[in-house]
Amino acid sequence: MTNKELQPIICPSLLSGDFAFLARDANYMLEQGAECHFVPNLTIGAPVIKSLRKHTKGHLDCHLMVTNPESMIDDFKNAGADGITFHIEATERGDGRSITKEVIHKIKSSGMMCGISVKPNTPIESIFDFVESIDFVLIMTVEPGFGGQSFMTHMMPKVETLRKKYPHLPIQVDGGLDPNTIDAAAKAGANIIVAGSSLFKPGQNPKDTMQLFRDTINKHKPNCICKISDYYYFRKVIYILVVWTFNKASVMYTNTDTIIILIQSPGITTQ
């Protein structure tokens, strides 16, 4: 980890891409200036990541929305993933399960970046004990798993709380981000934007939208130094979201500098 000025990072969501041409779409978004790729509500696993690794030099950031993320870390590392984001709801549960520290350690010791995600109904305070050990936090601004949902403005106090408490923390938001909602997210303190529909919309130039996102973030970003991996600044990153639903996985691409992968399982509900 090195100290870097807090920078805007744009992560196109492959959920809105063409599933038949994931590599093509991913590389296209990277050419348009995206920093990340986000892929929700798709059937993808480590084998897909392994295939993608052969066709892109981008940073592969995998968002695992699964009940037991600890069981998938080795598979994704071996497939070529560069980072893993897991849900606090999967590692801290009411049944006595509390393995967040162990999961963070396993991801970091594997040489990958580590992020923690928080769903809409989960208090942001639930991750405070772990923030100093991870690379970034993902605040879900829609219920995870489906594209095209409306942006939840009432999630912005979570972002504001994080930014005030951790001024150097990279904060990512995912869900409903478009030219009409980016200002609220950026003003609250988010600097990493995951967007799908607003970038893959037919007839529009994703490069222009990405630039609008960056300009808005730069307008609001605090004057601070951000601790963040050099991956986000010196490598193309692709964000892929892999969602597991009823034992099936699905994947989507977007072209950006980062690829993030989300995996969802029936074990994590939207409530």
Side-chain angles (χ1 to χ4, degrees), residues 180-209:
N180 296 317
T181 58
I182 181 61
D183 192 74
K187 186 175 181 179
N191 70 296
I192 307 177
I193 307 299
V194 174
S197 301
S198 62
L199 294 180
F200 285 93
K201 186 177 179 180
Q204 61 94 41
N205 187 344
K207 186 175 183 178
D208 293 341
T209 303

Side-chain angles (χ1 to χ4, degrees), residues 27-120:
N27 289 325
Y28 170 72
M29 285 294 173
L30 290 174
E31 292 171 358
Q32 299 305 302
E35 288 81 18
C36 301
H37 288 316
F38 183 81
V39 184
N41 201 30
L42 303 174
T43 56
I44 281 187
V48 176
I49 303 309
K50 185 175 182 179
S51 295
L52 283 174
R53 180 78 289 166
K54 298 175 183 178
H55 299 286
T56 180
K57 294 181 179 180
H59 178 90
L60 302 180
D61 188 2
C62 305
H63 179 177
L64 309 184
M65 186 179 293
V66 296
T67 304
N68 300 295
E70 71 280 7
S71 67
M72 298 184 178
I73 296 171
D74 290 339
D75 287 343
F76 277 84
K77 172 59 180 177
N78 294 334
D82 296 298
I84 286 179
T85 300
F86 65 92
H87 275 255
I88 190 71
E89 298 87 358
T91 57
E92 299 292 324
R93 301 205 297 249
D95 59 4
R97 175 180 165 93
S98 180
I99 61 169
T100 304
K101 290 183 179 179
E102 289 81 356
V103 172
I104 293 173
H105 176 73
K106 187 171 184 179
I107 293 172
K108 301 285 281 186
S109 63
S110 296
M112 295 184 287
M113 288 183 64
C114 179
I116 291 181
S117 181
V118 178
K119 290 171 54 184

Side-chain angles (χ1 to χ4, degrees), residues 65-68 72 243-247 263-269:
M65 186 179 293
V66 296
T67 304
N68 300 295
M72 298 184 178
V243 181
W244 284 88
T245 305
F246 302 109
N247 297 321
I263 298 179
Q264 178 178 353
S265 74
I268 299 181
T269 66

